[in-house]
Amino acid sequence: VNPAADIFRGKDVILAADCVAYTLPDFHNMFLKGKKLVIACSRLDRDAELYTEELRLMVDEARINTLTAVIMESPCCNGLLRIAQEALQKAARKVPLKLIVISTQGEVRSEEWV
């Protein structure tokens, strides 16, 4: 992902675990309208530092409006939330972070601003 790409400039960004869309049948209609999508897996992808830096650049250079982390309720997905939180802590700009947790049965378990 090019964090400085014009597609992110001033947009609301969804950071989704790669398994979420397969579990949640209405993923596109529920979360993507008017937003830009970035997909990652904190368990299978090994470069958390790169993801953190790319998200930080989206905040500071592309000047995104909001970041929403959509993760599964499984413990391995918490790493994606940590990456998002660390990126926002390192960013010069302040951007709100929303967390949406999806159950393994494909239901929204919780939704909150963190």
Side-chain angles (χ1 to χ4, degrees), residues 2-11 36 62:
N2 178 356
D6 285 341
I7 62 167
F8 297 115
R9 193 159 310 283
K11 300 294 184 185
K36 298 302 175 186

Side-chain angles (χ1 to χ4, degrees), residues 5 18-19 23 34 37 45 62-63 73 78 93 102 104 106 108 112:
D18 57 4
C19 53
T23 305
L37 175 65
D45 302 340
R63 304 184 66 79
E73 64 183 344
N78 289 327
R93 293 180 61 243
I102 307 300
T104 56
V108 176
E112 64 180 313

Side-chain angles (χ1 to χ4, degrees), residues 13 46-47 69 75 79 91 93 106:
V13 174
R46 298 291 180 220
D47 205 345
R93 293 180 61 243

